[in-house]
């Protein structure tokens, strides 16, 4: 089967969404233009497991302009924009994704995409690499892959450390032009967007509890503060906790935060961060959401089991009445709230993330023979090139060091004058 999507008739709407994204992704569009004339990925089969959004659509078009064939599957059962999936099928991509997949359908789609036998894989969460390493795929022709997110990089580094990773991976997530923007500003804005679209609650004056103060938690904390919320951070890492405290946020243990919070968001990359024990001491009406990659951060199943009543209040909002009579509201089944209830990160930040993806694919193709089966950072030249291009498209000019200054920063002999 060549594709499996919700409805091909949505293609025209998808085209409009893609056009909107293209207009807001100038760096990726300049790469698309070059790929169109140079065809650096000619004849390469790419299997991408990414959130099927309008921004991913622009990436897929860029890869196809470069000569690649693309099979696309979703990296989350709730994140697919069905209109975009339809438009991409019309373009000739093999898309296996629709919004609202079951777990079985989700993995089935990954398997269908993998039947195209990729030479390059693109992951957001490492589900494709994991599936390819599961033993069912004997003759791999993969020359390399890329990984979009922190959770995926952690999984892949664990595989490399154990010596089981079979091919090189470029950690797109770890490029400065990715995580200093996408993870911070993208997650910050889109998580709030998801919570607001789902609930329309007022943030001003609320106590907004964020579990995890990595790049994503930090971005979210700043945006929540900007909307007038009182932000509380919980952490397990002393360094991050210290940073949160000195950035002016209140830091405490979750068992304390559970009693005072109005809105809770997990951004940890870990599991069972919010549990039924926490829910049991929460205020009536507390809102629980997750913005980490997997749906294991909030123990939704445990909280449901401990509840005496369950009601779908509105799209992406489930009311759970606890035995003490208090109600908690779980958003998007504990899946990524920004992609399930909203549209994910804005195009402007995905512009840099996906420029890294496109250039990393080209780099893998050109350097496959030199690469070992381990996890690599995006080469510095690519990262800096993207930063320069982004600044240019924003019309921002920066200074250049004089010859004298260049010598000065390289030298060691000049000190106090
Ligand atoms: N991850 C977060 N936001 C995204 C988006 N808009 N498109 C693809 N992946 C994303």
């Amino acid at each position: 089967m060549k594709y499996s999507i919700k409805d091909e008739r949505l293609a025209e709407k998808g085209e409009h969404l893609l056009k909107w994204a293209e207009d807001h992704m100038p760096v990726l569009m300049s790469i698309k233009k070059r790929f169109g004339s140079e065809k650096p990925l000619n004849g390469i089969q790419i299997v991408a497991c990414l959130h099927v959004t309008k921004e991913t659509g622009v990436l897929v078009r860029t890869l196809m302009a470069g000569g690649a064939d693309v099979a696309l599957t979703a990296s989350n059962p709730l994140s697919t924009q069905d209109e975009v999936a339809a438009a991409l099928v019309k373009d000739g991509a093999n898309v296996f994704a629709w919004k609202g997949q079951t777990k079985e359908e989700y993995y089935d789609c990954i398997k269908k995409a993998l039947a195209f036998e990729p030479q390059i894989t693109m992951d957001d969460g490492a589900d494709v690499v994991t599936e390819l390493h599961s033993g069912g795929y004997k003759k791999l022709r993969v020359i390399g892959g890329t990984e979009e997110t922190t959770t995926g990089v952690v999984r892949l580094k664990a595989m490399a450390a154990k010596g089981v990773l079979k091919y090189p991976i470029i950690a797109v997530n770890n490029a400065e032009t990715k995580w200093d923007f996408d993870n911070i500003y993208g997650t910050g804005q889109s998580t709030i967007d998801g919570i607001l679209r789902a609930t329309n609650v007022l943030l001003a004056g609320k106590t907004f509890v964020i579990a995890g103060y990595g790049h994503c938690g930090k971005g979210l904390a700043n945006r929540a503060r900007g909307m007038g919320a009182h932000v509380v951070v919980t952490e397990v890492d002393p360094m991050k906790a210290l940073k949160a405290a000195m950035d002016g946020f209140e830091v405490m243990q979750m068992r304390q935060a559970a009693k005072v919070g109005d809105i809770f968001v997990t951004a940890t990359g870990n599991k069972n961060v919010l549990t039924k024990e926490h829910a049991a001491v929460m205020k009536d009406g507390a809102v629980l959401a997750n913005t980490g990659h997997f749906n294991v951060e909030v123990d939704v199943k445990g909280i449901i089991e401990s509840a005496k009543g369950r009601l779908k209040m509105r799209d992406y909002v489930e009311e759970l009445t606890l035995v003490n009579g208090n109600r908690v509201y779980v958003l998007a089944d504990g899946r990524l709230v920004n992609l399930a209830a909203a549209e994910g990160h804005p195009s402007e930040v995905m512009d840099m993330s996906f420029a890294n993806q496109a250039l990393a694919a080209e780099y893998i193709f050109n350097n496959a023979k030199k690469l070992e089966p381990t996890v690599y950072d995006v080469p510095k030249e690519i990262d800096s090139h993207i930063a320069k291009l982004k600044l240019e498209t924003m019309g921002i000019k920066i200074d250049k060091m004089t010859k004298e200054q260049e010598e000065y920063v390289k030298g060691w002999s000049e000190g106090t004058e």
Side-chain angles (χ1 to χ4, degrees), residues 120-136:
I120 292 178
T121 60
M122 284 186 176
D123 251 313
D124 187 334
D127 280 343
V128 157
V129 174
T130 313
E131 173 64 24
L132 275 178
H133 284 66
S134 66

Side-chain angles (χ1 to χ4, degrees), residues 247-265:
D247 283 343
F249 300 111
E250 198 175 349
V251 180
M252 62 177 79
Q253 291 178 311
M254 184 57 92
R255 58 200 180 93
Q256 249 76 50
K259 295 181 200 156
V260 297
D262 298 299
I263 300 163
F264 295 81
V265 185

Side-chain angles (χ1 to χ4, degrees), residues 51 53 55-56 124 338-339 343-345 350 354:
H51 301 295
T53 63
E55 291 75 25
T56 298
D124 187 334
N338 59 339
L339 280 140
E343 292 171 67
H345 303 354
M350 295 314 292
F354 285 165

Side-chain angles (χ1 to χ4, degrees), residues 268-326:
T268 68
N270 215 322
K271 68 195 288 192
N272 296 335
V273 177
L274 279 178
T275 61
K276 61 176 190 285
E277 286 77 22
H278 295 126
V281 298
M282 283 179 189
K283 294 192 222 171
D284 184 35
V287 170
L288 278 57
N290 165 53
T291 198
H293 184 77
F294 288 120
N295 58 330
V296 294
E297 305 209 11
V298 182
D299 179 17
V300 178
K301 202 163 158 251
I303 300 173
I304 289 174
E305 278 163 12
S306 75
K308 65 177 185 188
R310 224 180 139 177
L311 176 71
K312 184 179 167 191
M313 285 295 282
R314 44 193 277 169
D315 285 349
Y316 310 112
V317 182
E318 180 160 37
E319 179 186 84
L320 299 173
T321 305
L322 306 176
V323 281
N324 63 6
N326 282 353

Side-chain angles (χ1 to χ4, degrees), residues 79-369:
S79 62
T80 297
Q81 294 166 4
D82 291 315
E83 301 83 357
V84 172
L88 292 177
V89 163
K90 207 163 171 211
D91 284 352
N94 303 107
V95 185
F96 301 90
W98 58 92
K99 192 174 179 85
Q101 293 168 311
T102 63
K103 185 175 166 190
E104 290 68 34
E105 288 167 342
Y106 173 80
Y107 281 105
D108 192 47
C109 283
I110 291 183
K111 290 192 179 98
K112 289 204 168 100
L114 283 175
F116 287 79
E117 298 186 0
Q119 283 142 303
I120 292 178
T121 60
M122 284 186 176
D123 251 313
D124 187 334
D127 280 343
V128 157
V129 174
T130 313
E131 173 64 24
L132 275 178
H133 284 66
S134 66
Y137 300 83
K138 289 286 171 260
K139 40 178 207 345
L140 289 189
R141 59 167 187 160
V142 186
I143 56 170
T146 64
E147 173 50 56
E148 171 74 11
T149 200
T150 315
T151 298
V153 172
V154 170
R155 286 175 93 187
L156 293 162
K157 285 198 169 163
M159 289 174 85
K162 288 221 159 70
V164 296
L165 186 63
K166 290 192 184 144
Y167 61 85
I169 300 286
I170 308 282
V172 163
N173 178 68
N174 296 10
E176 278 186 76
T177 47
K178 198 279 181 182
W179 77 8
D180 276 351
F181 303 94
D182 168 319
N183 301 29
I184 295 179
Y185 306 108
T187 306
Q189 179 167 320
S190 64
T191 304
I192 300 242
D193 187 15
I195 294 169
L196 296 189
R197 288 199 208 189
T199 64
N200 197 27
V201 291
L202 181 72
L203 295 188
K206 294 278 164 58
T207 297
F208 195 105
V209 179
I210 301 170
Y213 200 70
H215 283 76
C216 297
K218 182 186 170 129
L220 180 56
N222 278 307
R223 290 300 173 258
R225 172 158 64 190
M227 303 269 302
H230 169 65
V231 177
V232 170
V233 170
T234 71
E235 249 304 338
V236 291
D237 179 326
M239 202 65 80
K240 290 182 179 148
L242 195 54
K243 286 182 185 165
M246 295 227 182
D247 283 343
F249 300 111
E250 198 175 349
V251 180
M252 62 177 79
Q253 291 178 311
M254 184 57 92
R255 58 200 180 93
Q256 249 76 50
K259 295 181 200 156
V260 297
D262 298 299
I263 300 163
F264 295 81
V265 185
T266 49
T268 68
N270 215 322
K271 68 195 288 192
N272 296 335
V273 177
L274 279 178
T275 61
K276 61 176 190 285
E277 286 77 22
H278 295 126
V281 298
M282 283 179 189
K283 294 192 222 171
D284 184 35
V287 170
L288 278 57
N290 165 53
T291 198
H293 184 77
F294 288 120
N295 58 330
V296 294
E297 305 209 11
V298 182
D299 179 17
V300 178
K301 202 163 158 251
I303 300 173
I304 289 174
E305 278 163 12
S306 75
K308 65 177 185 188
R310 224 180 139 177
L311 176 71
K312 184 179 167 191
M313 285 295 282
R314 44 193 277 169
D315 285 349
Y316 310 112
V317 182
E318 180 160 37
E319 179 186 84
L320 299 173
T321 305
L322 306 176
V323 281
N324 63 6
N326 282 353
R327 294 153 303 168
V328 296
Y329 294 95
V330 175
L331 306 191
D333 301 331
R335 297 195 188 277
L336 283 159
V337 72
N338 59 339
L339 280 140
E343 292 171 67
H345 303 354
S347 307
E348 292 88 336
V349 284
M350 295 314 292
D351 189 22
M352 289 189 279
S353 312
F354 285 165
N356 275 288
Q357 285 283 4
L359 296 182
E362 182 183 34
Y363 179 83
I364 290 169
F365 184 60
N366 292 335
N367 295 278
K369 291 215 172 69

Side-chain angles (χ1 to χ4, degrees), residues 6-15 82-84 86-87:
K6 173 144 186 244
D7 186 350
E8 283 166 70
R9 289 166 304 180
L10 297 171
E12 196 184 332
K13 272 195 183 162
E15 190 54 49
D82 291 315
E83 301 83 357
V84 172

